[in-house]
């Protein structure tokens, strides 16, 4: 979205902002989940996530649940040395508002014209009532949000555009199309200001769950911040001579959930007859390690050439150097990490042929290639994953 497009700028906005930002956005009054508590075991639950809203869902507890009350999910802290009501601030529960309050600053400093977007990736914090399902729901998580500012009449078109863009991107990073679905929000799910909202969901081992929401946020955010701050955030279009508050289309995605979905789809077990192999079939673009450099032994004779290869490749790829354990065990370890390519340096490399063994994660094929051809061969093989 950011590095490969001319119409989107990147930003890294503040985590702690003035509390008025969260008043203008509606988070102080409305960023809540319905909370119920069991009168017997005192565990707390989100009312919208349990089947029977009267009886405790905990095993071996049939306690009665309290009436639900709205629980604000924002973490609070204090700014400065005095801890009174006036110094109370919040950790951001989403990255989006940091973009809205910087809208004009970014637009004028980068000389952007509508339509354009501002995107960022960063930590958000929510005091979730029931975190869980591994990294699906945590209290501190990484969001990737982009606010795309457009002319109001073009908003529907951009809404559809960003849905397709996001869907294609999930496939591009290795999520199976059959495990993705689009789900339009029902009327009671949609925030009051949203003209349209759609979730892209993934079929997790426990069921369908949201990876991303694409929202048509209308002119709600810029309007609210204009009103609260007294700063006019309208845009004047030189060509059409029209002045308007831009509409916003927002793809809002969770990085952690996306990683979890990629891992779920990449995980595989293979029966090799005498043993079972576990592997992560990551596409090379998302593999945490792309190339492993594995000298056959710790023998000094292999050290120099192995280090040279590692240092050269490290400039281009995410690499790991490993010279402990038997080579078979090291291959299995790299399979579990999801490393697409392993390079083994042996005594023939130094004494005879100036070649290394290249092993392919998925086929387990091993070929002998010249040191000078390593990068060319990696590039060619990367397209086969
Ligand atoms: P949910 O309904 O699952 O609580 P949400 O609709 O409140 O999520 P949004 O406010 O739309 O989530 O945030 C955008 C994205 O941020 C979500 O699609 C999700 O991927 C991610 N996200 C939200 N809350 C969490 C969390 N507690 N842990 C991890 N990721 C999260």
């Amino acid at each position: 979205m950011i590095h490969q497009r001319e119409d989107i700028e990147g930003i890294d906005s503040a985590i702690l902002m003035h509390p008025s930002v969260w008043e203008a956005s509606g988070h102080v009054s409305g960023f809540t989940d319905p909370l119920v508590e069991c009168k017997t075991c005192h565990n707390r639950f989100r009312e919208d996530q349990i089947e029977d809203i009267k009886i405790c869902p905990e095993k071996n507890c049939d306690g009665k649940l309290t009436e639900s009350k709205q629980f604000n999910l924002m973490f609070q802290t204090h700014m400065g040395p005095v801890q009174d009501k006036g110094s109370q601030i919040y950790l951001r529960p989403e990255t989006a508002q940091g973009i809205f309050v910087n809208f004009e600053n970014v637009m004028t400093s980068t000389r952007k014209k509508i339509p354009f977007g501002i995107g960022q990736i960063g930590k958000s914090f929510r005091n979730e009532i029931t975190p869980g399902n591994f990294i699906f729901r945590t209290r501190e998580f990484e969001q990737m949000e982009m606010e795309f500012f457009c002319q109001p009449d073009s908003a529907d078109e951009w809404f559809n555009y960003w849905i397709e863009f996001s869907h294609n991107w999930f496939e591009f990073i290795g999520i199976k199309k059959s495990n993705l679905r689009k789900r339009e929000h029902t009327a009671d799910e949609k925030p009051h200001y949203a003209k349209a909202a759609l979730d892209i969901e993934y079929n997790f081992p426990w069921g369908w769950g949201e990876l991303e929401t694409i929202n048509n946020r209308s002119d709600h955010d810029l309007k609210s911040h204009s009103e609260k701050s007294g700063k006019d955030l309208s845009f004047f279009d030189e060509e059409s001579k029209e002045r308007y508050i831009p509409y916003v289309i927002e793809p809002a995605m969770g990085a952690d959930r996306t990683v979890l979905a990629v891992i779920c789809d990449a995980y595989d077990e293979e029966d090799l007859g005498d043993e079972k192999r576990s592997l992560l079939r990551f596409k090379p673009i998302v593999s945490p390690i792309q190339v492993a450099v594995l000298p056959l032994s710790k023998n000094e004779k292999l050290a120099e050439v192995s280090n040279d290869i590692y240092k050269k490749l490290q400039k281009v790829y995410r690499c790991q150097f490993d010279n402990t354990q038997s080579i078979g065990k090291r291959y299995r370890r790299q399979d579990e990490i999801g490393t697409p390519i392993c390079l083994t340096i042996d005594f023939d490399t130094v004494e005879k042929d100036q070649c290394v063994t290249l092993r392919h994660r998925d086929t387990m094929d091993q070929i002998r290639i010249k040191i000078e051809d390593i990068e060319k061969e990696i590039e060619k093989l990367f397209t086969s994953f």
Side-chain angles (χ1 to χ4, degrees):
M1 276 184 184
I2 292 166
H3 298 293
Q4 294 175 12
R5 293 181 68 109
E6 280 175 18
D7 57 351
I8 303 184
E9 291 292 329
I11 192 180
D12 184 13
S13 73
I15 287 174
L16 301 172
M17 293 191 284
H18 195 283
S20 313
V21 172
W22 306 108
E23 281 160 24
S25 68
H27 282 82
V28 171
S29 57
F31 193 58
T32 54
D33 274 339
L35 173 78
V36 290
E37 186 176 325
C38 173
K39 289 179 185 169
T40 310
C41 70
H42 298 288
N43 278 329
R44 292 173 170 189
F45 309 93
R46 249 174 79 172
E47 191 185 38
D48 57 334
Q49 286 182 344
I50 52 177
E51 269 169 38
D52 186 338
I53 58 164
K54 296 220 155 40
I55 304 294
C56 179
E58 207 62 33
K59 262 188 205 154
N60 308 324
C61 178
D62 289 330
K64 284 201 176 120
L65 297 176
T66 57
E67 289 286 308
S68 74
K69 57 176 185 221
Q70 291 301 323
F71 172 73
N72 196 302
L73 297 180
M74 282 199 292
F75 279 103
Q76 296 176 11
T77 184
H78 291 272
M79 187 172 56
V82 183
Q83 299 210 350
D84 62 11
K85 195 101 180 93
S87 68
Q88 188 178 300
I89 56 165
Y90 307 96
L91 271 69
R92 69 177 177 202
E94 61 172 39
T95 61
Q97 300 304 322
I99 293 177
F100 296 128
V101 297
N102 280 292
F103 160 72
E104 217 211 355
N105 195 351
V106 174
M107 181 167 68
T108 48
S109 60
T110 62
R111 298 196 190 153
K112 284 279 178 285
K113 290 207 162 45
I114 303 286
F116 80 99
I118 307 174
Q120 76 172 321
I121 173 165
K123 281 275 186 277
S124 289
F125 306 85
R126 294 184 189 177
N127 197 1
E128 296 280 0
I129 298 168
T130 42
N133 284 335
F134 308 98
I135 52 169
F136 180 82
R137 188 179 303 285
T138 53
R139 292 192 170 114
E140 171 183 330
F141 54 98
E142 197 87 6
Q143 277 191 320
M144 305 197 279
E145 296 191 295
M146 194 272 289
E147 310 304 317
F148 196 79
F149 303 93
C150 61
Q151 201 272 349
D153 293 339
S154 68
D156 290 346
E157 213 176 299
W158 282 113
F159 179 66
N160 293 327
Y161 173 89
W162 288 112
I163 292 169
E164 286 319 305
F165 182 99
S166 300
H167 198 275
N168 292 341
W169 184 78
F170 283 127
E171 280 186 64
F172 170 71
I173 59 166
I175 299 180
K176 290 179 189 140
K177 197 174 182 177
S178 55
N179 281 332
L180 287 171
R181 76 174 183 194
K182 298 172 194 160
R183 192 183 63 80
E184 270 180 50
H185 280 202
T186 54
D188 58 334
E189 264 181 294
K190 207 166 53 181
H192 67 278
Y193 54 81
K195 289 258 183 287
L198 178 142
D199 285 353
I200 299 184
E201 297 184 331
Y202 175 78
N203 194 10
F204 284 100
W206 58 87
W208 291 94
E210 173 185 329
L211 290 180
E212 177 179 14
T213 300
I214 295 104
N215 271 306
N216 176 347
R217 301 181 68 113
S218 70
D219 55 4
H220 168 79
D221 304 277
L222 291 182
K223 229 181 199 166
S224 309
H225 286 295
S226 283
E227 280 163 16
K228 186 89 187 165
S229 64
K231 174 102 190 162
D232 179 16
L233 294 174
S234 63
F235 172 79
F236 182 69
D237 187 325
E238 301 283 352
E239 269 174 42
S240 64
K241 307 288 176 217
E242 184 191 13
R243 179 171 287 283
Y244 56 84
I245 296 192
Y247 265 39
V248 171
I249 307 301
E250 172 196 69
M253 183 188 296
D256 312 71
R257 285 184 189 181
T258 304
V259 166
L260 185 58
V262 170
I263 291 175
C264 288
D265 269 355
Y267 184 76
D268 202 4
E269 287 175 359
E270 240 179 27
D271 197 350
L272 302 178
D274 51 346
E275 63 166 320
K276 206 166 71 179
R277 171 170 95 116
S278 308
L279 69 158
L280 285 167
R281 295 186 189 274
F282 286 138
K283 284 197 175 191
I285 40 157
V286 295
S287 304
I289 300 171
Q290 296 172 306
V291 183
V293 178
L294 313 173
L296 193 63
S297 78
K298 285 185 177 160
N299 191 300
E300 263 180 30
K301 281 189 189 160
L302 305 181
E304 194 182 337
V305 64
S306 305
N307 272 322
D308 286 350
I309 292 172
Y310 174 64
K311 282 198 180 127
K312 190 158 177 239
L313 294 178
Q314 210 186 20
K315 295 200 174 93
V316 189
Y317 305 107
R318 296 184 287 275
C319 296
Q320 190 172 72
F321 185 93
D322 184 8
N323 61 4
T324 46
Q325 283 189 315
S326 74
I327 192 69
K329 283 203 176 119
R330 279 185 273 163
Y331 284 153
R332 288 287 170 277
R333 180 169 175 270
Q334 293 300 333
D335 288 342
E336 286 175 0
I337 295 170
T339 310
I341 286 172
C342 291
L343 298 173
T344 305
I345 294 97
D346 57 26
F347 292 96
D348 280 355
T349 311
V350 246
E351 288 162 5
K352 270 198 195 151
D353 58 5
Q354 292 288 302
C355 287
V356 298
T357 300
L358 183 153
R359 176 192 182 263
H360 190 287
R361 177 195 67 208
D362 292 358
T363 60
M364 292 191 284
D365 285 347
Q366 298 187 14
I367 51 168
R368 197 90 185 142
I369 55 161
K370 287 214 174 81
I371 292 176
E372 66 208 51
D373 291 339
I374 290 177
E375 280 181 65
K376 202 170 67 192
E377 204 60 43
I378 292 175
E379 283 309 313
K380 198 173 83 191
L381 281 176
F382 268 8
T383 58
S384 69
F385 287 95

